[in-house]
């Protein structure tokens, strides 16, 4: 008498068509390529500000305020539209949005390269920010739809590594271009890269969208754009003035907060919300997005002052300074793709908490640096930050993205990137204000003998002091030592502030991020019959 066969475990359900699955790593390479130029461009302009400030034909004669807005117009549009761009990707198709975004970004880059006035440069930078806002969330949303759930942590690790790489190599690329070409080359170089990316996307990337997006929520979309733009503008303005109580900074910030509160209330009451607010009730989701914002708050603050430390105090060129930041990028490239293995063994909470503590230690090290600190010590601190970030960003991003249905990948990616961008803008503004205020307080006593106009210019920053000192000739040399001392004192305070924010991030993770979870099922030895490619992401 035969015995019935014991039923084995059900075969894993595959949601990615076979044709897409086979080329998933090639698709990821294209997404990284697209993401890299967008992230890189957010930092590349910093090394060119001196050149752009020079009179034509060397630059466009931009003032300090115009230079700040050449940087901030990109950030303002980028951060303000990220959420809307993610929603449109889910609704219209992520491939369409990705292609449109990279095309707009490339066009803005080409036009920015040939700007004849500071106003033109500011306007074209805003166009670049518009394109970037549609590229960044779409890359992560496409990733979630071409990888099975068990491979998503590995793919997100690679994705996160490319973000860190872009932040670190921006100054290197900018410095190298400026040594051989005119200032517009830092934008023009994007154009051929964009052309290659467009061709590769059209060939490789599958289309995907939310199969049931529901009715559009125009009121929610409008409230999110207005709220984010007001909030980010106020943050930027407060950083410029080094005074967040000024009306031109405080009113937009308060207005942005009020509008975003109205957005949340509207979404809770709407029967077709742009984003389901109940997702924030999930501890993993809320803790992850909060920790991402805190991480980039701390990181962008130290990125801001490290450039001045290396160039103004240590005397390195823009290219040399960029090369010295390489350990941060190398650590992320090496460890981020492997973070999932550590997280599977020890749990997200332990790994992310440890990573955030390592970031805090790397930031705190700057509080002990002076003009003669050996460079290898700096490299160790930057490498530690990179290792820490590599073990924080991938698990947190996985926690955000896997908390939402695959169909809402664009919305999840937009939320992830919006919190990161707002956190980074806050870091530059708040910690930049701390640096500026402390520097002015330390240097004022050394500037009393200068005329009023020169005293005002010299008190703005260490660059301002050194510029005035250069015009004074031999007499100005007396200002160099005090300027370096004042900056180092300000940097030490700012580093402590950055480290404190990272520690708060570690506390949030330790308290609210879930610990170890069951290991995801391994990939099947055999995949089922190939599905129709049109179902990708459905």
């Amino acid at each position: 008498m035969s015995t019935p066969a014991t039923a084995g475990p059900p075969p894993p359900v595959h949601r990615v068509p076979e044709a897409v699955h086979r080329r998933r790593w090639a698709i990821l390479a294209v997404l990284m390529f697209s993401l890299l130029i967008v992230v890189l461009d957010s930092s590349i302009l910093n090394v060119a500000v001196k050149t752009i400030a020079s009179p034509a034909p060397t630059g466009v004669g931009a003032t300090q305020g115009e230079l700040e807005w050449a940087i901030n117009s990109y950030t303002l549009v980028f951060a303000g539209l990220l959420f809307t761009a993610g929603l449109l990707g889910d609704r219209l198709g992520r491939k369409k949005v990705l292609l449109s975004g990279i095309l707009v970004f490339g066009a803005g880059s080409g036009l920015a390269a040939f700007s004849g006035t500071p106003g033109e440069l500011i306007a074209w930078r805003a166009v670049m920010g518009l394109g970037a806002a549609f590229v960044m969330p779409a890359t992560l949303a496409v990733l979630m739809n071409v990888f099975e759930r068990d491979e998503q942590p590995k793919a997100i690790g690679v994705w996160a590594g490319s973000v860190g790489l872009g932040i670190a190599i921006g100054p290197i690329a900018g410095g190298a271009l400026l040594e051989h070409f005119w200032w517009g080359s830092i934008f023009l170089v994007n154009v051929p890269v964009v052309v290659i990316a467009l061709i590769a996307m059209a060939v490789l990337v599958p289309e995907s969208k939310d199969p049931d997006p529901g009715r559009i929520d125009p009121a929610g979309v409008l409230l999110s754009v207005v709220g984010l733009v007001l909030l980010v503008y106020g943050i930027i303005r407060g950083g410029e003035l080094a005074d967040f109580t000024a009306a031109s900074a405080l009113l937009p910030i308060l207005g942005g907060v009020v509008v975003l509160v109205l957005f949340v209330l509207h979404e809770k009451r709407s029967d077709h919300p742009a984003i389901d607010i109940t997702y924030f009730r999930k501890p993993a989701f809320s803790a992850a997005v909060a920790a991402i914002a805190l991480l980039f708050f701390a990181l962008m603050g130290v990125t801001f002052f490290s450039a001045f430390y290396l160039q103004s105090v240590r005397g390195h060129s823009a290219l040399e300074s960029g090369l010295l930041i390489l350990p941060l990028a190398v650590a992320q490239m090496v460890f981020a793709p492997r973070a999932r293995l550590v997280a599977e063994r020890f749990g997200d909470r332990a790994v992310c908490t440890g990573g955030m503590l390592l970031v805090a230690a790397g930031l705190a090290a700057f509080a002990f640096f002076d003009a003669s600190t050996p460079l290898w010590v700096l490299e160790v601190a930057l490498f530690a930050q990179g290792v820490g970030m590599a073990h924080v960003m991938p698990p947190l991003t996985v926690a955000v993205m896997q908390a939402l249905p695959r169909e809402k990948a664009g919305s999840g990616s937009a939320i992830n990137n919006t919190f990161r961008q707002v956190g980074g803008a806050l870091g530059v503004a708040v910690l930049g204000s701390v640096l500026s205020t402390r520097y002015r307080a330390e240097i004022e006593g050394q500037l009393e003998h200068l005329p009023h106009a020169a005293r005002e210019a010299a008190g703005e920053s260490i660059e301002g002091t050194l510029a005035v000192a250069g015009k004074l000739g031999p007499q100005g040399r007396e200002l160099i030592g005090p300027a370096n001392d004042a900056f180092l004192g300000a940097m030490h305070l700012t580093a402590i502030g950055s480290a404190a924010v990272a520690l708060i991030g570690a506390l949030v993770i330790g308290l609210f991020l879930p610990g170890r979870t069951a290991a995801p099922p391994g990939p099947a030895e055999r995949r089922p019959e190939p599905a129709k490619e049109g179902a990708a992401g459905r």
Side-chain angles (χ1 to χ4, degrees), residues 243-389:
D243 181 9
F244 286 86
T245 62
S248 59
L250 184 60
L251 292 179
I253 290 174
L254 292 177
V257 170
V258 169
V259 173
L260 290 175
V261 169
L262 292 176
F263 167 72
V264 172
L265 294 175
H266 170 78
E267 295 300 283
K268 290 177 71 174
R269 298 180 61 181
S270 175
D271 58 358
H272 56 286
I275 180 65
D276 189 346
I277 300 299
T278 60
Y279 290 133
F280 285 91
R281 296 176 184 171
K282 300 180 179 182
F285 185 87
S286 296
V289 294
I292 286 169
L294 290 167
L295 173 63
F296 274 83
F297 183 109
L299 180 73
M300 295 309 291
V302 76
T303 302
F304 178 77
F305 67 66
S306 63
F308 291 103
Y309 170 66
L310 290 170
Q311 294 183 47
S312 301
V313 177
R314 302 297 295 257
H316 294 288
S317 68
L319 178 57
E320 291 169 342
S321 299
L323 290 170
L324 287 169
I325 300 176
L326 264 181
L328 184 70
V330 170
Q332 290 187 68
M333 289 174 61
V334 172
F335 290 98
R338 295 167 174 80
R340 78 190 192 287
L341 302 175
V342 187
E344 286 172 6
R345 180 169 182 179
F346 299 104
D348 288 351
R349 180 192 297 161
V351 171
C352 291
T353 301
M356 195 70 92
L357 291 174
L358 195 55
V359 170
L363 295 171
F366 277 83
F368 301 94
F369 291 170
D370 57 32
S372 60
T373 299
L375 286 178
W376 70 264
V377 178
L378 170 69
E379 302 299 90
V380 169
L382 291 172
F383 187 79
Q385 288 179 49
V387 173
M389 279 197 69

Side-chain angles (χ1 to χ4, degrees), residues 37-101:
I37 59 171
V38 169
V39 175
L40 183 149
D41 200 82
S42 65
S43 61
I44 197 171
L45 185 59
N46 293 328
V47 302
V49 290
K50 287 184 180 180
T51 307
I52 294 173
S54 304
T58 303
V60 292
T63 65
Q64 181 68 26
E66 289 168 337
L67 286 173
E68 290 173 353
W69 273 106
I71 297 172
N72 293 335
S73 62
Y74 180 92
T75 303
L76 183 64
V77 177
F78 186 26
L81 293 179
L82 270 171
F83 180 71
T84 300
L87 294 177
L88 290 176
D90 285 344
R91 177 174 292 274
L92 303 177
R94 292 150 196 147
K95 181 176 181 177
K96 293 186 185 73
V97 166
L98 186 56
L99 287 169
S100 301

Side-chain angles (χ1 to χ4, degrees), residues 142-161:
V142 170
L143 179 156
M144 297 298 290
N145 280 272
V146 299
F147 284 89
E148 298 288 2
R149 187 177 180 88
D150 62 294
E151 281 192 319
Q152 287 172 358
K154 181 178 180 180
I156 287 174
V158 176
W159 180 90

